[in-house]
Amino acid sequence: MVILMSFATTFSISAHAGMVGTGELIQQQQTDLDRQQLLDMLEDQNVQDKLAQMGVSEAQVAERIQNLTPAELADFEQQLAEAPAGEGVVGVIVLFLLVFIITDMLCATNLFSFINCIR
């Protein structure tokens, strides 16, 4: 029994807890909120119609939104906030297309056949 206890305590893996800052939690919550706002915009019928005209499915856009890094998402949200109010749907679609083009150039996707990978 002593040998078993010594092996159990010698080779056990210890857990280390780390501090999570308030700033990190707020940033994660903001990122989640930004993603949800973009996904909510996809439910607008005008956006869906425009994406269908361009041959892009709502599922592809939703997947790309989920794959955005927090920095890309913050940049995207900033561009969306700075867009004039009159652009509305067109501005959102242009921003989505820019994200699609960038991900195609980075070889992350292959949505547009006319865009070559930069690698």
Side-chain angles (χ1 to χ4, degrees):
M1 186 66 122
V2 172
I3 294 171
L4 181 62
M5 290 298 288
S6 65
F7 278 131
T9 57
T10 303
F11 297 112
S12 66
I13 299 172
S14 61
H16 297 284
M19 296 294 293
V20 178
T22 305
E24 293 173 17
L25 287 174
I26 291 173
Q27 182 180 8
Q28 180 61 41
Q29 288 179 346
Q30 184 63 42
T31 300
D32 292 342
L33 181 63
D34 291 345
R35 269 200 184 94
Q36 189 57 46
Q37 287 174 343
L38 287 176
L39 291 171
D40 290 344
M41 286 182 192
L42 287 178
E43 297 187 19
D44 183 66
Q45 189 60 44
N46 293 332
V47 172
Q48 291 176 2
D49 292 343
K50 192 68 171 174
L51 289 172
Q53 287 175 355
M54 296 179 178
V56 179
S57 74
E58 183 181 347
Q60 288 173 321
V61 175
E63 180 181 344
R64 294 208 181 177
I65 290 172
Q66 292 296 339
N67 292 331
L68 288 174
T69 64
E72 291 170 334
L73 191 59
D75 186 44
F76 189 76
E77 284 289 326
Q78 181 182 2
Q79 290 176 10
L80 190 60
E82 291 174 357
E87 286 184 13
V89 173
V90 176
V92 170
I93 292 171
V94 167
L95 288 175
F96 280 134
L97 289 176
L98 287 175
V99 170
F100 294 156
I101 290 170
I102 291 170
T103 56
D104 277 359
M105 289 173 62
L106 296 174
C107 305
T109 60
N110 189 16
L111 185 63
F112 299 113
S113 59
F114 57 89
I115 297 177
N116 296 324
C117 182
I118 59 174
R119 289 186 194 174

